[in-house]
Every structure is written in C-alpha cells, then in structure tokens.
Amino acid sequence: MNTLNAISVPDATPRDRRRWAAYLADERAEARVYRELAARRSGEEREILAALADAEGRHEAHWLGLLGGEPSRLPRASVRTRMLAAMARRFGSIFVLALAQNAENRSPYDDDPHATPAMRADEKIHGEVVRGLAARGRMRLSGTFRAAVFGANDGLVSNLALVMGIGATGVAPQFVLFSGVAGLLAGALSMAAGEFVSVRSQRELIEATHPNNDTDHVLPDLDVDANELALVYRTRGLDEAAALARARKVIATAQASDRATPYRRAAEPPADLESVGSAFGAAASSFAFFASGAVIPVLPWIFGLSGFAAVALALALVGLALLLTGATVGLLSGAPPLRRGLRQLAIGFGAAAITYLLGLLFGVSAA
C-alpha cells in the first residue's frame, strides 16, 4: 500500500488540478485492466500483470500527492481506458493486450512538467512489457485463425472487385449474381487448396528436419568408446564433450534394455508443429471465411436488388466488413487498429474502383 505524501505546487491552476484528477482516474482504471487480465492468467503472466497494476498504483499515489488527497469529485476515465476495462472483463484476450500496448506507447506524461522522469520511464517500459505479453499471445495463434482472418479479407476485396466490374458492363442482374457466386466458389476453393498445400508443406519440412528414431534398433550394438553417435549430437548443436556424454548415456540405456525385441525410444513430436496448425483445419477455415467474406458483396443481388441500389448497398456492407477485418489485422500485428482498418478500406475500394472503370470502358448493352 502506497503512503500518500502531499506535494506542494504553489503555482498550480484549476486546470492543472483537473488534469491531475483525470490522470488519477486513468491510472486507477488501467490498474483495474491489468488486474482483470491477471485474473484470467496463471503463473508468470499473472505475476507480470499484477506487477504492472502495482506500478500504476505508484503513479496514482503521485497524483494523489499533488491533489493533496482524494478529490471531492473524480472525473471518469478516458473512453479508451474504459473500453479496455470492459474488454478485459469480458474477453481478457490478445486483443486487449494489443490495445493496451498501443495505449502505453502514447503516454501523456512525456509533455507534462508535473510527471516525474521515473513515471515517464515507467510508461515506456510498460509498453515493452505489454508488447512482450501480446507477442506471446500472437505466437499462440494457430495457422487456422490466421487463415480465417486473411481469408475473409481476401473474399471481401476480390468478390467486390468482381461484381463491381461485371455490374458496370451493363449486363443483367442475374449475370452479376452468377458471376459473384462463381467468384465465391472459385476463390474459396483456391484459398483452401493453397492453404492446405502451404501448411502441409510446412509440417512436412519440420518433420523432415526433426530427429527420428529409425536407427534405434542398432544402438545396443554400438561400442561405447568407438562410435559415431556423438557426431549426431554435435550436428544438433552440442559441443564435443556434451555430445560424447549424451551418446554414452543413450548407448548404456539401450544396452540395458530387453534384447528380446528391437530397441526403440519413445518418439518425440516436433514442438513447432503446434504453432503451424492442422492442414485440414487451415484449409477448411480458409474456405469458410473466404466464402463468408465473398458472399457479402453479392447479398444485394441475392435479395433481388439491381442497379445503383445494389451497388450502394454492396459498398456499404463491404466497407463495414473491411474496417472490421483491417482493425483485426492491425491488432494482431500491434499496429493502430483504426489506421489499419482505414487502409484496408482504401485498398478494397481502390480495387473495386479500378474494375468498375474497366467495366464501364468495356461495357455492353443489356440484352
């Protein structure tokens, strides 16, 4: 528990005191965020988050000291901090840590003369601590989830560009609908096949480079003092002495085993396979999420709209979806989600504008 020490600032203005009270409210809210996250973790991560909450308590004590005690009326925490607290209570996920990382990197203390150098340094270090925690969470994300996010985004952009280009040629609405459905199936199948091959190839590469036990049956016949088993361990990174000691231990264990059956050690699966994910899971999620994204631009034509009304509704629906997927990708990469969402919106609409102009250029008369 921090002891309150009043700090005298003779020239403090009412505006200064309001700013200190706002800082106090934010520090308390941020401490609650870290405690909410800590409650959903265990082990080392729980301890790290609890330590961050304690650090926010030190900052809280500083602003209480400047205010001379608890203010009669404390303002609400900032919208950003309240949003983080709400998400921490409901989710406690990697997305909350990514938002917290961005928040810590935008400390208001850098330009505030009443914040101490130690507090400014704390905020910078907090950003790196949260970055590390968020990086752990990102590493735990499977290939299936990655395929889902990017598959949905690809479906949105490619099929929007397709229906905009086809629609601009002046063909019948039924042809635009058929083209959109065909584009959905073609893209989803292509994405699924590509993701399956990619993940399967990566798993096979890892398995091919992982040590196997195909030669275990000859281990009991090796000479402890004259064999090449130590060279195997040297190729895996051990120095000469450690490799020789490991080889002697393995051979001794093999020779002490029951010789009635061929000797074989327990197989150890490659640890990296977990981060790669399942090839079938990645393919299925790529198909499903590409299709879920690609169907959105086609919805107006599915429900019987045509002309400008269909185009306007398709752009509105896809625009919202692009903002969401772009913000999600921004969170996963540690970038500002709004900026990434707007960038994705610009890319998607830019592709649609190009194909729409091409459709107008090579337009045909409706039959």
Side-chain angles (χ1 to χ4, degrees), residues 269-291:
D272 293 339
L273 288 181
E274 182 179 354
S275 63
V276 174
S278 162
F280 284 104
S285 66
S286 287
F287 181 93
F289 280 84
F290 183 97

Side-chain angles (χ1 to χ4, degrees), residues 155-215:
L156 285 165
V157 175
S158 64
N159 229 27
L160 176 66
L162 176 63
V163 297
M164 290 295 103
I166 295 295
T169 63
V171 298
Q174 292 82 359
F175 191 79
V176 178
L177 175 59
F178 173 78
S179 300
V181 173
L184 182 156
L185 290 174
L189 290 170
S190 176
M191 284 287 294
E195 195 67 26
F196 179 88
V197 171
S198 174
V199 174
R200 175 56 66 89
S201 299
Q202 192 173 356
R203 290 179 69 91
E204 290 173 349
L205 178 62
I206 293 174
E207 290 171 346
T209 56
H210 183 74
N212 60 46
N213 298 341
D214 292 346
T215 58

Side-chain angles (χ1 to χ4, degrees), residues 101-118:
Q101 173 187 331
N102 290 326
E104 291 287 1
N105 288 334
R106 296 191 301 269
S107 172
Y109 297 165
D110 290 342
D111 302 318
D112 196 300
H114 298 108
T116 67

Side-chain angles (χ1 to χ4, degrees), residues 23-81:
Y23 288 156
L24 175 61
D26 279 346
E27 293 289 1
R28 287 178 174 174
E30 288 172 9
R32 285 195 296 272
V33 169
Y34 291 130
R35 291 191 185 97
E36 292 283 352
L37 292 174
R40 295 172 178 266
R41 298 292 195 276
S42 60
E44 186 181 37
E45 288 191 10
R46 185 188 188 101
E47 295 175 2
I48 291 172
L49 288 163
L52 286 174
D54 291 340
E56 302 296 352
R58 294 196 302 271
H59 299 177
E60 175 188 339
H62 173 79
W63 300 119
L64 276 173
L66 285 175
L67 291 166
E70 188 70 28
S72 57
R73 181 178 177 277
L74 193 65
R76 299 184 69 187
S78 65
V79 174
R80 169 187 59 79
T81 306

